[in-house]
Amino acid sequence: MSSVFKALSDPTRRRVLEMLRDGPKSAGELASAFDVSKPTMSAHFAVLRDAGLVASEKDGKSVFYHLQMSVLEDALFGFAQTFGWERREDRSATGRPALKEGNP
């Protein structure tokens, strides 16, 4: 979970994840949205990959990234559990609030 939050701590990496919500994109397409060097973007991609938030696949000379939403969901749920939240389907008779859409 720590690697996920480390990855999310940087605004550039959060923006990359936002861009990937619409589907896979090439490293070049993602990098062109930022005013940083290629090595800097490569480092950002590596942090996201290491956290499991994105997966990459090579197609010829291009590398395409896609979002691994389940990893983000699991990390956020794990974090929420530390404060007593439960998934709706896991909610017990404890009366603790369930983690569901619409809860703040």
Side-chain angles (χ1 to χ4, degrees):
M1 184 167 38
S2 295
S3 62
V4 171
F5 286 107
K6 176 188 173 195
L8 294 174
S9 71
D10 184 87
T12 298
R13 293 191 289 265
R14 288 193 305 268
R15 179 68 184 121
V16 168
L17 295 175
E18 288 173 22
M19 293 173 69
L20 292 173
R21 282 188 309 191
D22 298 329
K25 294 194 176 16
S26 71
E29 184 178 355
L30 292 165
S32 69
F34 302 94
D35 189 23
V36 296
S37 68
K38 287 184 181 184
T40 298
M41 280 309 296
S42 290
H44 284 304
F45 295 145
V47 171
L48 291 168
R49 264 193 325 270
D50 291 346
L53 292 170
V54 298
S56 62
E57 50 186 85
K58 200 163 187 173
D59 184 12
K61 291 185 177 184
S62 298
V63 177
F64 287 85
Y65 289 93
H66 59 272
L67 186 60
Q68 298 285 35
M69 198 62 185
S70 62
V71 173
L72 179 58
E73 290 170 343
D74 288 346
L76 293 175
F77 177 67
F79 181 71
Q81 279 184 310
T82 63
F83 297 101
W85 287 83
E86 299 174 5
R87 291 186 196 265
R88 184 184 308 183
E89 62 270 15
D90 294 341
R91 190 172 184 177
S92 66
T94 64
R96 289 188 292 185
L99 183 61
K100 61 183 179 182
E101 286 187 43
N103 274 2

